[in-house]
Amino acid sequence: MVVESGFKQFLIKLVLFLGLFIVLSGLIGPWVISTRLLYHFGFFIYGGLGKVTLFGSIVFVLLSRQKLRLVKKYSYNRLNLLALMGAFLLIPSFFEVGRRLLQYSDWSTNIGLTLVAHLLIIVMIILLIIGSLGANLITGFLSKLQRELLISTGLSLIFYFSFNLIFQLWPLLSGIVLTIVQFILNLNFSPVGFIPPRTLVLSHFAVEVGQTCSGIESLFLFSALYILIACLDWPKFNHKKIILVFFPVLVGLFLVNILRVYLIIIIGQLISPYIAGQLFHTYAGMILFIIYFIAFWQLFYKRLLK
């Protein structure tokens, strides 16, 4: 019982970190995207950080799942609370540094201030990790799970650079999403305008079905994790089933993305363009992916075994 409760506590802490990471990104990300900071000051490099973090976390759990059953229980203490508070208390400082950066043309104009802005983001993430997992648990990982941590980091880097290659397919998927969403909208709203190359227009709201709406990120992330799980438990699986199920489940994930884009437009039209264009649009994809991923493996894992 102690073994299992320690493992469950770790999973809860990991989910807490991912949740707070999404919240922190939601507070900072929309503002950064709306400014010149994104490209002129190099903040676009954090665009895939959420997906890489999620991928690396799941890989680490998969690789360490036997050893993690022996993990000790560590209670939260004052350090955890201070670290979490520190992460969010640094947000105003980041906004202030960001506003000062916007007075310059690009990152090379004020290298010191640019480094401070990037450092603030990195420190906030580190504080989230310490606050969510705890210093004792992290120290235990570093001493007993070095191999798994190194492999997870290596696979995450491979995932990141591989994704940059696969990402070139987004215009094709974006076109498919646009066509289907426009068809569905025409069933409920008339007329639905179209501005080339990828913008749909209702009476009060317009959305560009661009890169983030294509679904390529979720499809690639799910594929990478699916293949990894299949390789790790290959002797246990019915090989025919694990191969045949892969393609329908990708189609299902793509349909979930289409639903997300449809809901973005509906929310923007009927409720609030800000909620649709900033909060819901930016982070709904990751939340829906997590729900879909967990639901699929909960429902189908045992059915895919020999």
Side-chain angles (χ1 to χ4, degrees):
M1 292 298 292
V2 175
V3 171
E4 290 298 325
S5 62
F7 179 55
K8 290 179 181 178
Q9 186 193 54
F10 164 73
L11 291 179
I12 292 173
K13 289 181 177 182
L14 181 61
V15 171
L16 174 63
F17 163 69
L18 293 174
L20 291 176
F21 180 82
I22 293 174
V23 172
L24 184 68
S25 302
L27 294 173
I28 295 175
W31 181 74
V32 172
I33 292 172
S34 66
T35 67
R36 291 184 295 107
L37 291 175
L38 188 63
Y39 293 107
H40 289 260
F41 296 90
F43 284 88
F44 66 90
I45 64 174
Y46 301 108
L49 183 60
K51 296 291 190 303
V52 173
T53 301
L54 179 60
F55 177 80
S57 300
I58 295 175
V59 170
F60 176 74
V61 172
L62 291 173
L63 294 176
S64 311
R65 61 190 187 277
Q66 297 303 325
K67 292 183 179 179
L68 286 174
R69 298 188 181 280
L70 303 175
V71 71
K72 294 172 60 178
K73 290 187 67 174
Y74 293 103
S75 301
Y76 282 116
N77 53 40
R78 187 177 299 177
L79 176 61
N80 297 98
L81 180 60
L82 291 176
L84 292 178
M85 290 176 59
F88 287 95
L89 288 175
L90 285 177
I91 293 177
S93 299
F94 171 78
F95 283 138
E96 179 61 28
V97 173
R99 292 188 189 97
R100 293 187 181 186
L101 271 180
L102 291 174
Q103 299 174 11
Y104 300 93
S105 58
D106 57 54
W107 68 271
S108 61
T109 310
N110 194 324
I111 297 177
L113 202 59
T114 301
L115 291 176
V116 170
H118 284 277
L119 184 61
L120 282 171
I121 288 182
I122 295 172
V123 170
M124 283 189 279
I125 295 173
I126 293 175
L127 288 175
L128 278 187
I129 295 174
I130 295 174
S132 302
L133 299 181
N136 291 331
L137 191 59
I138 295 171
T139 303
F141 286 166
L142 293 175
S143 62
K144 298 179 181 179
L145 297 169
Q146 293 180 356
R147 178 175 174 271
E148 289 78 4
L149 285 169
L150 288 174
I151 294 175
S152 301
T153 302
L155 290 176
S156 297
L157 291 174
I158 293 173
F159 170 82
Y160 180 80
F161 290 111
S162 300
F163 174 71
N164 288 335
L165 296 176
I166 300 296
F167 193 70
Q168 306 305 317
L169 296 175
W170 75 263
L172 173 62
L173 294 177
S174 179
I176 297 173
V177 171
L178 186 148
T179 301
I180 296 176
V181 170
Q182 185 178 22
F183 172 78
I184 298 174
L185 287 172
N186 278 320
L187 299 177
N188 303 289
F189 300 91
S190 183
V192 178
F194 172 70
I195 301 175
R198 300 182 183 89
T199 301
L200 293 177
V201 182
L202 272 68
S203 57
H204 299 102
F205 186 66
V207 63
E208 180 183 2
V209 185
Q211 299 176 0
T212 56
C213 294
S214 66
I216 185 69
E217 295 178 338
S218 297
L219 291 173
F220 184 72
L221 176 58
F222 187 91
S223 299
L225 291 172
Y226 189 97
I227 293 171
L228 178 64
I229 293 172
C231 291
L232 289 175
D233 287 347
W234 184 253
K236 300 179 182 179
F237 283 127
N238 180 310
H239 298 165
K240 184 177 180 180
K241 285 183 179 181
I242 198 69
I243 294 172
L244 292 178
V245 168
F246 175 67
F247 300 100
V249 78
L250 278 188
V251 173
L253 183 59
F254 189 62
L255 293 177
V256 169
N257 180 66
I258 291 174
L259 175 64
R260 176 178 73 95
V261 177
Y262 174 77
L263 291 176
I264 288 171
I265 298 176
I266 295 299
I267 291 173
Q269 172 72 13
L270 302 179
I271 302 176
S272 168
Y274 175 79
I275 293 176
Q278 299 293 326
L279 302 180
F280 190 85
H281 175 267
T282 309
Y283 301 101
M286 183 178 291
I287 294 172
L288 288 174
F289 171 84
I290 294 173
I291 294 172
Y292 187 88
F293 181 83
I294 294 174
F296 169 75
W297 287 109
Q298 284 288 331
L299 292 173
F300 287 93
Y301 183 82
K302 291 183 178 179
R303 301 181 183 182
L304 294 174
L305 299 176
K306 290 181 180 179

